[in-house]
Amino acid sequence: MSFPLLPSLFLLLMGGFWLFALWRVVASGNGISQACFVAGYFPLAIVIRLGRPSDLMAPIWAPFLYAYTWSGIAALFWAASQLRPTRRGLAVADTPPRMAAFYLALLVLHIDVALAAALSYDRALALYLMVPPAMAMLAMLLYLGFCRLTVRPERTMVNWGSLALLMLFPLAWFKLCEFAVPVVLRYS
């Protein structure tokens, strides 16, 4: 059994994630979120340029393939200026709730990749770099989880318990991908 349309579906998923990220940032109308998104491109392009010095076009096309990394760097910039830890949880300042949910999802994804890479002998890092569609799907699932927590008029805070629960989800996702990716590659 083979899946001839699977590579096209994966590319469509990656393009869709980048377009969703761009739409979420533009639709927010928040200048800080937009500036963080634009600024997130440059560190990624520099790292790619240093990692692949012979490929002159890699800094231009690779950030679009790794849109979740681009958005994760932007989320780190955003978190430095917009998140405030309190006794009850993380308070979000001056950001529309859906934009905050998107950046929080990417922040949790990257924190979990760093934790899982330290615990799993870099298998999680290999999944992160080699299977972009799985990471884009994980980012969208985390975004939906954070939307349930933050998109309410009276709530501008994510409590610590909910945050800890959502941080466990990517670790389970990495275990699932360790078994699912070889099967998909075998039959595609």
Side-chain angles (χ1 to χ4, degrees), residues 154-165:
E154 73 278 354
R155 178 175 260 173
T156 59
M157 181 179 300
V158 178
N159 65 18
W160 294 115
S162 301
L163 188 63
L165 185 64

Side-chain angles (χ1 to χ4, degrees), residues 79-127:
S81 66
Q82 298 296 304
L83 287 183
R84 303 286 178 255
T86 64
R87 188 171 48 95
R88 292 184 182 174
L90 285 176
V92 179
D94 301 328
T95 303
R98 292 187 192 276
M99 187 69 241
F102 181 71
Y103 276 154
L104 283 168
L106 270 298
L107 200 61
V108 164
L109 170 74
H110 286 85
I111 289 170
D112 276 354
V113 165
L115 289 174
L119 298 174
S120 68
Y121 304 108
D122 296 329
R123 284 185 297 226
L125 188 59
L127 282 171

Side-chain angles (χ1 to χ4, degrees), residues 67-84:
Y68 55 91
T69 306
W70 176 356
S71 300
I73 294 169
L76 186 63
F77 293 154
W78 172 83
S81 66
Q82 298 296 304
L83 287 183
R84 303 286 178 255

Side-chain angles (χ1 to χ4, degrees), residues 161-176:
S162 301
L163 188 63
L165 185 64
L166 282 172
M167 286 188 76
L168 291 177
F169 180 70
L171 298 176
W173 183 264
F174 294 145
K175 279 296 183 192
L176 176 69

